[in-house]
Amino acid sequence: MLAPFTTTAEVRALLGLSDVELPYEVLNLEVYEHGLTLQLNKVSAGLPALFLSLVDPAAQPLTPAQTGLVKAVRYLSALTSALQVGASLGLVAPKRMTDDKSGFERFSDSPYRDVLDRLSSLHAAAVDAVRAALEALTGDAQPAPRFVTQFVAVKRGYDPVTGTGQGAL
């Protein structure tokens, strides 16, 4: 269940779909909840728990910094969920809908990719907004993700043309 992080209506709005095209049952599959929780923990460990403590009615009223974090997490959650659903949208969403009197046809290739590209760019900015809101709330700068080099270029110990040097066969 995506609530209380975001709503199914917000996810549909980002994708430009109706509840007929993207049913409630699909949006509330556990796989999307798990993906959302993983993404939020990737931004900052413990972020889902912090968010849930802030939206608890007993925690009201919120400070401006807390309100900023809640809004930033809700926006990031909607974008994350929309991107997850959007990955299979071209296959899942109906191309043609009709009620025997009128109908419409939706293109399933390029427009979906354009929407997902736009959402991806918004997602990166939303991650930065959540980190900034966390910093404003806690006063601690969140460390930027570290990338570990897994491959390093090295010189060969032999000449493959002449077959001379160390390690030659």
Side-chain angles (χ1 to χ4, degrees):
M1 190 120 171
L2 299 176
F5 296 100
T6 189
T7 65
T8 55
E10 290 170 340
V11 175
R12 282 191 204 99
L14 288 170
L15 293 169
L17 298 173
S18 70
D19 58 344
V20 173
E21 295 169 296
L22 190 57
Y24 176 85
E25 295 80 21
V26 172
L27 280 174
N28 279 312
L29 291 171
E30 282 188 26
V31 69
Y32 299 126
E33 179 186 354
H34 297 315
L36 176 58
T37 304
L38 287 172
Q39 175 64 36
L40 292 176
N41 276 316
K42 192 189 225 184
V43 172
S44 178
L47 181 59
L50 174 61
F51 176 82
L52 290 174
S53 72
L54 292 175
V55 296
D56 182 13
Q60 305 301 326
L62 298 178
T63 66
Q66 290 171 327
T67 302
L69 179 62
V70 167
K71 288 180 179 182
V73 169
R74 283 198 169 131
Y75 183 58
L76 175 62
S77 298
L79 288 168
T80 298
S81 300
L83 284 170
Q84 290 177 23
V85 172
S88 60
L89 201 54
L91 300 172
V92 176
K95 288 183 184 179
R96 182 182 178 111
M97 295 185 68
T98 182
D99 63 357
D100 292 333
K101 290 185 179 181
S102 64
F104 70 91
E105 215 165 302
R106 183 184 295 272
F107 298 102
S108 64
D109 192 23
S110 180
Y112 284 134
R113 277 187 283 162
D114 294 344
V115 168
L116 293 178
D117 289 344
R118 181 182 57 82
L119 292 178
S120 291
S121 65
L122 292 173
H123 186 270
V127 168
D128 292 340
V130 169
R131 287 195 176 118
L134 269 171
E135 184 178 344
L137 181 64
T138 63
D140 295 333
Q142 295 293 316
R146 295 184 337 168
F147 297 100
V148 179
T149 304
Q150 296 183 5
F151 298 98
V152 178
V154 294
K155 292 178 103 178
R156 290 188 180 134
Y158 69 97
D159 183 352
V161 176
T162 63
T164 59
Q166 284 184 320
L169 302 173

